[in-house]
Amino acid sequence: MNPRVRRRLAVTTIAASLALGGCAFDDTEERAAAATATRDVADGTGVWDATQLHEIEVEVDEDAVAAMIDTYQETDEKEWLEATVTIDGEAFDRAGIRLKGNSSLRSVTDDSEAGDLPWLVRLDEFVDDQSVDGWSELIVRSNSSATALNEAVALDLLAEAGLASEHAVASSFSVNGRDARLRLVVQNLDEKWEAENFTNDGLLYKSEAEGDWSWRGDDPDAYTDVFDQETGDEDLTPLVDLLDFLNNSSDEDFAAGLPERLDVQAFARYLAFEEVVDNFDDIDGPGNNSYLRWDAESGAFTVVAWDHNLAFGGSPGDGGFSGQDGERPERPEGMPTDLPSGMPTDLPTDRPEGGPRGRENVLVERFTAVDEWADLVEQAKTDLTEELYASGYAEEVLDRWVEVLTEQAGDLVDADTVQQEADAIREKVAG
């Protein structure tokens, strides 16, 4: 079946299941959900062609990298550096690179290899309109596994679930001619990504790792350290209004008014998805990983998933992701282990069935306290398990990624490691 058709069916399936389950929604909620629905996104092409191992080479001044690391260690500031970035043989002079991430950077030292660090590459940071295949930004992700198969598969399943995702590709990544590493490269959630995934104009906000969703008053400046606006003209008003409602409404007003402010069905599906792929570091995990996308036409928000390098039981503290037998591949040398600064260090690495996800989030707490919406999440878990796992789709996705790595990346990762990490995911999929 055509993948784009499959994604469209995934969106309509939940609506049908809700009708069969007897859940009632008024016209306002249906309009909000329709207005904030994601587009059908075609398979990636060019730099985002996932059937190919891509090659990324970075040439950057070594002293500048060392100074940048020192600055980050002292201030948490992520400075931009000029670099020559060559992507699949095409060189881009004066491209911008900077560190990207939070928990993935907490183990960075002066001895860290640049090839192991997580990077944001922005081709047009210093040269206007510089891009590859029309894209100017990409993220070189970190992962505690050798293959990053867990995140790659999770992102494909996220798209199949009818939720906004990112294109991802395997790459051979090297800095200043040193040995290449196998790295997963994904889209940055910028204006071009937003236009690809959403129909209407809007604004995109990112939850900062060390922030929270508390109410801090009407002054937008009070939220600049806990949310970062990623797209559109600077305007935190919709976000501040939502946080006011989430934190200060009565239970009755919350249940009645949330469907006007949030795509409820999509949020239930999002929560269910994170459970199904066993990713504890989500909207209420230690990394506070999520984006909020406000739709200018409907006035409603959609929660956008982000950061799946701990999917399928991954843990930042023990070197990878596991199958049901608990066996985990060894962590690649140099990979970080720490949680974001200020985050609790005693969080469980595996979320117990039906138990807490690791960190409080007012939206999750209040949403799941409404029986009708909690039922939506449970129904969506059942639907997604059938659509993604029982259907065989997840196995197909995993097999495609394994084929790319074994046939094209043999000099970067050995076949036994690929097989071991793929088998760990298969155990999770098989249940």
Side-chain angles (χ1 to χ4, degrees), residues 376-413:
L376 294 189
V377 178
E378 291 304 311
Q379 182 61 57
K381 286 167 63 176
T382 299
D383 293 341
L384 288 171
T385 300
E386 175 65 31
E387 295 164 15
L388 302 179
Y389 292 172
S391 68
Y393 185 75
E395 286 274 3
E396 295 173 15
V397 169
L398 181 58
D399 288 344
R400 288 200 297 268
W401 280 102
V402 167
E403 181 179 359
V404 170
L405 297 187
T406 54
E407 294 187 0
Q408 302 180 42
D411 58 336
L412 302 172
V413 61

Side-chain angles (χ1 to χ4, degrees), residues 147-375:
T147 63
L149 277 170
N150 59 332
E151 182 161 30
V153 172
L155 289 176
D156 280 353
L157 297 184
L158 184 65
E160 179 69 8
L163 302 172
S165 185
E166 308 100 53
H167 293 304
V169 295
S171 74
S172 170
F173 180 77
S174 64
V175 178
N176 292 337
R178 292 188 176 88
D179 290 344
R181 272 74 161 163
L182 176 64
R183 302 292 297 275
L184 189 72
V185 175
V186 306
Q187 288 176 296
N188 193 28
L189 273 59
D190 58 8
E191 288 86 353
K192 184 160 178 127
W193 171 90
E194 185 178 39
E196 185 183 33
N197 282 271
F198 291 90
T199 304
N200 301 327
D201 291 338
L203 303 172
L204 186 67
Y205 306 98
K206 182 182 185 297
S207 303
E208 294 292 351
E210 297 175 24
D212 57 42
W213 289 43
S214 63
W215 168 244
R216 299 169 182 242
D218 294 321
D219 184 1
D221 290 341
Y223 299 89
T224 55
D225 292 333
V226 292
F227 281 90
D228 186 29
Q229 184 172 336
E230 300 292 329
T231 66
D233 295 333
E234 185 174 352
D235 183 8
L236 293 182
T237 302
L239 174 66
V240 173
D241 289 345
L242 177 67
L243 294 176
D244 184 8
F245 174 79
L246 295 180
N247 286 275
N248 300 322
S249 61
S250 67
D251 289 345
E252 182 179 1
D253 289 344
F254 178 81
L258 186 65
E260 300 175 6
R261 296 169 171 84
L262 180 79
D263 187 334
V264 169
Q265 295 184 24
F267 185 57
R269 199 163 174 88
Y270 160 81
L271 291 177
F273 178 84
E274 300 301 329
E275 291 279 357
V276 168
V277 299
D278 194 13
N279 175 40
F280 86 102
D281 194 17
D282 53 6
I283 189 173
D284 56 355
N288 200 23
N289 286 313
S290 62
Y291 285 73
L292 274 169
R293 206 272 175 174
W294 178 73
D295 185 276
E297 182 173 316
S298 70
F301 280 88
T302 298
V303 171
V304 176
W306 173 250
D307 196 343
H308 289 86
N309 64 4
L310 299 182
F312 297 103
S315 168
D318 61 8
F321 52 91
S322 68
Q324 292 175 333
D325 58 3
E327 292 296 322
R328 297 178 187 268
E330 292 185 4
R331 176 190 310 278
E333 183 178 355
M335 285 297 178
T337 64
D338 294 343
L339 293 171
S341 177
M343 293 298 100
T345 58
D346 58 349
L347 293 171
T349 58
D350 293 303
R351 183 189 308 137
E353 185 68 26
R357 302 163 77 90
R359 186 180 184 188
E360 289 186 2
N361 177 284
V362 63
L363 173 58
V364 177
E365 295 290 327
R366 300 199 70 183
F367 185 87
T368 54
V370 178
D371 289 343
E372 187 175 25
W373 296 338
D375 290 344

